[in-house]
Each structure stands twice: as C-alpha cells, then as structure tokens.
Amino acid sequence: ERAAAASLVATARSISSAAPLPRRTSWLAVLPGPSGLLGNSRCSSAAGCGVLAAIVIFSRRQKRRWVSRLKALPAGMAVVGFGSAAPESVVSNDDLAKVMDTSDEWIVQRTGIKRRHILKPGESLASLSALAAQRALEDAQMAPEEVELVILATSTPDDLFGSGPTVASQIGASNAVAFDMTAACSGFVFALSTAAQYVRTGAVKSAVVVGADCLSRFVDWEDRGTCILFGDGAGAVAVRAVEPEKDALIGFDLGSDGRGACHLGLPFDVDPVPLGGGAEGGSASIKKLGMNGKEVFRFATSRVPEVLSRLLERHEVSSDEVDWLLLHQANRRIMDSAAKRLGIDKEKIICNLDEYGNTSAASIPLALHEAMQAGQVKRGQLIACCGFGAGLSWGGMLLRL
C-alpha cells in the first residue's frame, strides 16, 4: 500500500513542469485509487481502498507546465451497441378523439405526432428498460457480466428510490454498479456524458446507458394540450473503453436554468399531518404533469441551436460535416427550426416522433436505434445531438459512431 501511494506521488510529479503557476497559488493533485482513475471498482481490503489515494501539494514556487487535458487518461469511449423497446399497446390520435375534444388533424398540425405507445397498468418501466439494455448488449456482443456500470436516465422510475439496480439485475449485470439519473428529457445526454467520464478515467471498462420514461402515467388525460404529447419507451447503448484517439464523444455541453422550472414540471402536493405537541409534518402525493407549452417552445427553439452552434465552433466542425441531427423528439417544428438556424439540411433530421410521441429520456436513444436498424445511420458518421426539457435543462453532444 505504501509502495502504491509512493507510485501515485511519482505520477503526480511526472505531470509537473516548467511553467510557474500564478503567485500565491499552490497546486493540489488528488489522484484516486482503485475506485477512481487508477483501477476498477473493487480492491482487496477496506484499508487498501483508503490508502491507495494520494494528495500531493507542490510549492507555489515550483515550475511546471499546465496541461488542459491529462494525457495520462487511460481510455476513450466507443458506443458499441444499440437497443430500444416500446410497449405493444398503441394509441392513435383517432383513438384519443373518441375520449376527448381533439382530432388527428389538430394534433399532427401542431406536433407531428400520430401515435404513441403506452405501458399497461401491469407493465413496468424497469422491464422495458431491461429489454432495451439486453438488445444493446446483444448488438455489442457483450456479456452481461462484463458490464461494470449501468445508468438509467429516467424521471418516472417504478420506485422513487430508483430502478437502475433493478434493471441491472434483470439483465444479469451482476458485476455492475447501477443508479438512476434524473434530468427529464435531457437525461440520456446527461447520462451518456457521465458514463463517458467513468470510462475515460479508467474507473470502468464497459457500461450500459439507458434512457426510459413512462410519462403517460403522470399526465392529465383530460388536458388535451398536454396528454396528446407523451408516450412511453426505452432506448439504450452499450459502451466500451478504447484507445483515447478513438473516443466517440467529440464534445458535450450541458446546462440548466432553474428559473424556468415553473414552465414544465411534475411536482408533489404535500398535505399537512398533525404530529402532536403542535408539530406538523406532511404527506406527499404526485401532481399531474404541467407544462407551459409556449414558454417551453420558446426555450427549445433558442437554446438548442445555441448549444449546438457552440459545440461545432469549439471543436472546429462545420455544419456540412454533420451527417445527422438528432434532437429530443418533442415537436417537429422545434427540429425544423433548429436545423434552419444551424444550416443543416432538414433531410438530415432523425425523427420518429410521429410513431412514439415524446418519450422523454428515451426519445434520443430510441430514435437512434431505429435509424441504425433501418440503415439510415451508419458507423463512422457524425451526429449532432441535443436533449432539452424540464429543469429547465439542456445537453448537446457531438458523437462519432
């Protein structure tokens, strides 16, 4: 253990160099042990886990070269498998017109949606997510036992404490740590960007990222302006560590602005509960999904092209070099507006909104898998991708398949 700690110190010194830091500055390097940069998620003893980490403080007078990206990062991330799943039950616009004041023409003109897939009462989001993940593993020819990380991006788990571990169990990923990530319709981009950091730093060598939601269970089916928009689904990717120069994630840009949370949310109601002695607690219940459509549309049509333009400029990629534009499947008019502002042909838009509606965190991986299956999207192509939604949150990425 002491030898390992000494090795970490030597590693830290190896990236120090000839350019001084600003005056009154010390340099602090924290090098994680087996659960971080230098190993996997397990070690031989609790004591070992604690000792195999080093904090090295260099004098502010030492000379060194500042590097913006550590070349010592052991790996890049490649997306090696794709999968998706949707409920068998399908509800068309004409079906909805029988139970509410709407029509197929009214819905299509405003959204582009024709049908949506809906989970039945006895079906679970975890099972749907596991099916998508299994298909991604099969596509990647990856054994479940190889998976070291499972991230489930969802806002609608079967259990408020999370469904990620259940999904990992159902796919047989017995060696994986699993957890949920909540970022609504931006969730898949957030989750894949997070998984990339685990892979790039060497913390894990393989992962499964799932985006899944069943917002149909949380809408007000008497609110025709909102309930018509949402469907249920799941999409997944399997990723592996590769050589750094083969990293598929060229860049990402994530953000949020809580000032807009009032425009799209799924909040709790809390009823007072007397606890005696004048004390009072609360009993919570979930409200129906609420959305200010005009404000969300305004947010999306401005933020999406802004984020992707920044990414393209930062990584010196022209619009002509983008093979496909893949946005969260919320509204066809948002997609067309973004493509126009980015200077990307509408023919490059990946869209399955007409069949599934808005599936929240599932929409991007679900659309991507279908496009791969259809032969529309091919390996080696560059995708400009952006999720956006509640929070308000947004996330863009440039992904080379």
Side-chain angles (χ1 to χ4, degrees), residues 154-162 182 213-220 264-271 282-290:
T154 186
S155 300
T156 55
D158 298 321
D159 186 322
L160 193 59
F161 289 158
T182 302
D213 268 307
C214 53
L215 284 173
S216 72
R217 293 181 170 177
F218 300 91
V219 299
D220 179 355
L264 177 56
L266 189 55
F268 285 93
D269 259 335
V270 180
D271 296 322
S283 176
S285 60
I286 301 177
K287 290 183 177 182
K288 298 299 184 182
L289 184 151

Side-chain angles (χ1 to χ4, degrees), residues 37 43 46 62 67 82 91 97 123 125-126 134 162 182 216 222 227 249 300 306 321 361 363 371 378 383 394:
L37 288 177
C43 58
Q62 280 188 289
V67 290
F82 304 84
V91 177
E123 297 174 329
L125 186 78
Q134 287 170 348
T182 302
S216 72
E222 295 182 356
C227 69
L249 186 57
E306 174 188 323
E321 294 178 87
S363 73
K378 298 177 175 59
I383 295 181
W394 59 90

